[in-house]
Amino acid sequence: MTATATPPNELTATVTIAAPPAQVWAMVTDVARMSSWSPQVVKTVVLGGPVRLGTRFVNINHQGWKHWPTNAKVVRFTPHSDFAFRIVENHTVWSFQLEATADGGTAVTHRRETPNGISLLSRSLTKLAFGGQEAFAEEMVEGMRQTLARLKADAER
């Protein structure tokens, strides 16, 4: 598994899973299950019907005793390939990009993108409550690694 922080804002982690892209796709797009993989997500509530382009959902996140909600909207939805959602509060885009491997598995890249930067409110709160962007980014990369490791273990059962 690899993970990188591309200063100042894009974060990535990648893993290869011994499961076909269709199976991994079904898992990552079932956002209500994210709390079983992500160390930061406590609960996800999908607003409306099945997850697809434009679907909205709410996450309850935590770090220690601190809890906060985020509102998300699915902004990319290419079956078996690219699933991404934008967080309203901080403008970041979180994605899972899937690529079939020669042995029938799936290379999964989990990414936090910042195509329009990070909101001033989020940068300010991160500085006050989470030790600043650099420390929080390191924690997020570790969380992405854990998310992918747990997803891999679940998919390979």
Side-chain angles (χ1 to χ4, degrees):
M1 183 176 317
T2 61
T4 60
T6 306
N9 297 315
E10 186 172 300
L11 310 174
T12 64
T14 302
V15 69
T16 300
I17 298 175
Q23 178 184 341
V24 178
W25 173 261
M27 294 173 77
V28 299
T29 59
D30 185 359
V31 293
R33 292 182 63 193
M34 195 55 64
S35 63
S36 66
W37 305 309
S38 171
Q40 188 179 73
V41 177
V42 174
K43 183 174 181 151
T44 301
V45 177
V46 177
L47 308 173
V51 175
R52 62 182 183 275
L53 189 63
T55 296
R56 294 180 183 274
F57 56 94
V58 176
N59 284 320
I60 304 299
N61 303 298
H62 79 102
Q63 179 197 57
W65 59 269
K66 297 171 267 192
H67 286 74
W68 66 97
T70 56
N71 295 281
K73 179 180 179 183
V74 176
V75 294
R76 295 194 312 259
F77 193 87
T78 305
H80 310 163
S81 176
D82 186 25
F83 174 65
F85 50 91
R86 179 179 302 280
I87 302 299
V88 173
E89 292 80 6
N90 63 18
H91 308 165
T92 61
V93 175
W94 289 84
S95 65
F96 290 90
Q97 294 166 327
L98 285 57
E99 185 175 331
T101 61
D103 61 0
T106 307
V108 181
T109 299
H110 187 18
R111 182 173 278 118
R112 188 205 64 181
E113 307 163 34
T114 57
N116 299 311
I118 300 172
S119 71
L120 177 59
L121 174 62
S122 182
R123 289 193 319 266
S124 298
L125 289 174
T126 300
K127 184 176 181 180
L128 291 172
F130 299 106
Q133 288 295 322
E134 188 173 320
F136 195 52
E138 288 175 17
E139 184 176 326
M140 284 189 289
V141 168
E142 179 54 32
M144 293 164 78
R145 284 187 195 117
Q146 289 177 30
T147 297
L148 289 179
R150 292 170 182 169
L151 176 68
K152 176 180 174 71
D154 205 5
E156 292 179 353
R157 282 192 190 142

